[in-house]
Amino acid sequence: MEKLKNYIDGILIAPFSNNYINSYDPATGEVFTMLPDSDNEDVELAVKSAENAFPHWSSLSAEKRAEYLLKIAGLIKNNIEKFASAESRDNGKPVQLARSVDIPRAVKNFEFFASAVTQFSSESHHTGTDILNYTLRQPIGIAGAISPWNLPLYLFSWKIAPALAAGNCVIAKPSEVTPLTAYMLSEICIEAGLPNGVLNIIHGYGHKAGSAIVSHPEVKAITFTGGTKTGKDIASVAGPMLKKISLELGGKNPVIIFNDCKYDEMLETTVRSSFTNQGEICLCGSRIFAEKDIYEKFKTDFVKKVKALKTGDPLNADTDIGAIVSKQHYEKILYYIDLALKDGGKILCGGNPVELKGRCKSGWFIEPTVIEGLDHNCRANQEEIFGPVVTIMPFENEEEVLQKANSTEYGLASVIWTNDLSKAHRVSANIHSGIVWVNCWMVRDLRTPFGGMKNSGVGREGGLEALRFFTESKNVCIKI
Ligand code: NDP
């Protein structure tokens, strides 16, 4: 069985411990590869190599760094099929989703930040007639990047690309659950001739390799995407060390459907915003509020469409819902379905594991599930399930729905469906989330700020916000 390797100082090497972790194909439940169980010795080596690489990398022109990023983007694009099937196998997502969204967006991340850094400028301020202030934005040094399993290469590259573009060296850890495309990225970086030590990819557990990155004194900034609890743990270590921190955390996103919306478009998109990637996207809407006079119609039409979704082998072209990423996560989702039932919820469709035949007979699959009759304060409506499970609830008016939508500890994204422009502006302004989609979902322009309020995160990534995060601002004040 193939053993993945760490990418340190430009080469692929085994972990110091020589220990490996099993990696499972969630569609079959079988181990299909092994990844390094890295620890602080591997991280130490990566830090040394990044320190050596930093003076040269940070002194290259933005155009030169952009050339490397574009080379990496091009090589991923040339291997899109290979990357898409690896992502599907590792994560359980339908291969057509990996082919049309995950991998193209990873390519875009490299392309976008290659271009953005060449447009990055800073301010100058003239103070009276004889004083000039200007701002230098200089790379920080070594940045640590830690990412989750749901959009493996997409989110990994979302962090790595701006950090490298801004002139930093990076030590990155993908989720131990989905290491494969990060490993393939290290092969691509070697092929692209990225200078040794500029990017180091360390595999392993969060509590070992991840925490060694976070606590290393030479790693000056941490960009993390993952669960809120892990984010708090990371902040408790990195905060007292006065590191720069960007945390993109969990969500419990509301979808608010007013009776004046474009109904068919809303229905189509709400199925996608509920169940794309098995609901394992931090931006999926999991609490659906429909205005009272269209609630029954919405319920009937929505459930009919959800029942028509096909759960199956992620490698089949007609599969809508693939496998749940791990056995542990599969059990967590089933636990929440059970909890919702105990709290008085009524399952309108789904609610059960799916047993497939043939290759996928031992895989982890769950039917897309719609639940009604729950109080907005119950645990299934307050805690992140992060699976193919949504709840639906009627509401009477704007005030009530805003209060309920804002009632969780999270504030990542929200979706509003209305044709009334004033209402759209009003609700957008009053909803507690970092991203608001009106009459659409998952439309991404990489120039926009991305991140969450409340327990959904600290800081913003995307566009110039990311380049600002990965640089240190310095004010130079000159008397002329
Ligand atoms: P986790 O928080 O469990 O893990 C995320 C990453 O952090 C993994 O690489 C993990 O390693 C690592 N890690 C765990 N503990 C530590 C530690 N003490 N120090 C350093 N690193 C650590 O999240 P999941 O992987 O389960 O991802 C799902 C979560 O991610 C959901 O809550 C989802 O909402 C959130 N998410 C947020 C997004 C956003 O943009 N706001 C986007 C996508 C997902 P290991 O592999 O060992 O667990």
Side-chain angles (χ1 to χ4, degrees):
M1 186 172 299
E2 190 191 10
K3 283 182 177 160
L4 307 185
K5 290 181 174 161
N6 288 328
Y7 170 54
I8 302 177
D9 206 26
I11 55 168
L12 299 172
I13 56 169
F16 273 93
S17 67
N18 221 16
N19 292 332
Y20 288 83
I21 303 165
N22 287 336
S23 185
Y24 292 84
D25 176 344
T28 63
E30 284 163 12
V31 176
F32 80 106
T33 187
M34 296 169 97
L35 62 134
D37 179 5
S38 310
D39 56 30
N40 50 357
E41 281 192 283
D42 304 285
V43 171
E44 193 57 52
L45 190 64
V47 169
K48 288 271 168 314
S49 114
E51 277 179 327
N52 291 338
F54 181 70
H56 171 66
W57 181 250
S58 57
S59 67
L60 290 180
S61 66
E63 285 78 9
K64 188 72 203 161
R65 289 197 300 267
E67 267 176 36
Y68 283 109
L69 297 193
L70 290 174
K71 226 179 207 174
I72 292 170
L75 287 168
I76 300 173
K77 215 189 266 180
N78 291 345
N79 289 284
I80 197 155
E81 270 313 308
K82 231 169 97 188
F83 270 93
S85 58
E87 202 72 300
S88 168
R89 186 135 191 238
D90 215 10
N91 169 278
K93 68 179 68 215
V95 68
Q96 44 87 6
L97 184 69
R99 187 186 294 128
S100 60
V101 177
D102 289 72
I103 309 304
R105 288 202 182 189
V107 170
K108 269 267 164 297
N109 287 340
F110 283 107
E111 289 176 345
F112 173 82
F113 285 107
S115 160
V117 74
T118 63
Q119 317 289 319
F120 193 38
S121 58
S122 61
E123 308 81 40
S124 79
H125 300 90
H126 298 252
T127 312
T129 52
D130 61 345
I131 301 282
L132 171 65
N133 280 285
Y134 62 89
T135 305
L136 285 177
R137 294 195 197 282
Q138 298 173 311
I140 298 169
I142 305 175
I146 298 176
S147 60
W149 48 256
N150 63 326
L151 304 168
L153 190 64
Y154 178 1
L155 292 175
F156 201 53
S157 53
W158 175 243
K159 300 181 168 307
I160 290 170
L164 293 181
N168 302 284
C169 292
V170 176
I171 301 181
K173 190 195 92 64
S175 167
E176 139 262 333
V177 182
T178 51
L180 196 51
T181 48
Y183 175 71
M184 290 165 67
L185 176 65
S186 46
E187 293 178 320
I188 292 279
C189 291
I190 293 170
E191 197 179 338
L194 188 70
N196 297 349
V198 167
L199 172 63
N200 301 275
I201 299 177
I202 305 282
H203 295 272
Y205 290 115
H207 62 86
K208 241 170 160 179
S211 82
I213 296 171
V214 172
S215 61
H216 199 293
E218 292 312 316
V219 176
K220 302 295 184 193
I222 301 291
T223 166
F224 169 79
T225 299
T228 297
K229 190 190 164 303
T230 315
K232 286 183 181 176
D233 290 346
I234 286 175
S236 75
V237 176
M241 296 177 84
L242 305 182
K243 298 185 181 207
K244 270 187 128 176
I245 321 175
S246 169
L247 303 173
E248 303 285 348
L249 309 177
K252 189 73 187 173
N253 308 315
V255 175
I256 302 177
I257 302 167
F258 289 100
N259 61 11
D260 58 10
C261 68
K262 277 193 182 148
Y263 187 83
D264 292 342
E265 205 177 320
M266 174 280 294
L267 191 64
E268 205 69 49
T269 309
T270 304
V271 174
R272 282 197 304 114
S273 68
S274 303
F275 298 111
T276 301
N277 205 44
Q278 302 72 247
E280 295 166 338
I281 301 183
C282 54
L283 304 169
C284 277
S286 54
R287 296 178 294 142
I288 302 173
F289 299 93
E291 198 157 3
K292 204 168 177 186
D293 50 358
I294 58 163
Y295 180 80
E296 287 302 322
K297 176 172 166 50
F298 169 72
K299 177 169 116 179
T300 309
D301 295 344
F302 183 62
V303 167
K304 188 171 166 205
K305 280 204 172 285
V306 175
K307 278 184 175 163
L309 293 174
K310 187 167 177 214
T311 305
D313 188 336
L315 297 180
N316 291 347
D318 62 347
T319 291
D320 300 303
I321 310 279
I324 301 301
V325 73
S326 66
K327 186 156 193 291
Q328 190 191 8
H329 194 55
Y330 163 89
E331 281 163 2
K332 174 186 158 181
I333 295 167
L334 292 175
Y335 165 81
Y336 272 100
I337 293 174
D338 193 43
L339 191 66
L341 280 175
K342 286 187 181 132
D343 281 342
K346 179 177 163 204
I347 292 186
L348 300 174
C349 66
N352 301 301
V354 180
E355 283 172 26
L356 297 174
K357 297 208 165 57
R359 189 182 92 86
C360 298
K361 67 179 187 312
S362 306
W364 306 308
F365 296 86
I366 296 178
E367 293 172 329
T369 301
V370 181
I371 305 175
E372 76 164 348
L374 286 170
D375 188 90
H376 75 280
N377 272 326
C378 75
R379 284 184 58 198
N381 266 333
Q382 291 288 320
E383 297 172 17
E384 189 182 39
I385 302 176
F386 213 54
V389 180
V390 297
T391 64
I392 61 172
M393 288 160 275
F395 70 90
E396 301 258 6
N397 56 46
E398 210 177 298
E399 195 185 13
E400 176 202 348
V401 77
L402 266 172
Q403 188 269 322
K404 288 180 174 168
N406 287 337
S407 70
T408 73
E409 66 179 65
Y410 296 108
L412 185 55
S414 52
V415 187
I416 300 165
W417 289 96
T418 179
N419 253 0
D420 177 337
L421 194 57
S422 304
K423 197 193 289 177
H425 285 300
R426 205 166 49 237
V427 177
S428 301
N430 288 311
I431 204 151
H432 302 162
S433 67
I435 302 153
V436 185
W437 277 296
V438 180
N439 300 333
C440 58
W441 176 70
M442 264 294 255
V443 177
R444 291 282 297 122
D445 179 327
L446 300 189
R447 292 169 298 182
T448 59
F450 180 92
M453 296 167 67
K454 303 196 278 186
N455 280 359
S456 288
V458 175
R460 293 292 179 271
E461 298 189 351
L464 297 180
E465 303 268 355
L467 293 176
R468 289 203 182 103
F469 174 76
F470 286 114
T471 49
E472 194 78 80
S473 303
K474 184 188 285 175
N475 168 229
V476 180
C477 177
I478 301 182
K479 185 160 192 292
I480 299 161

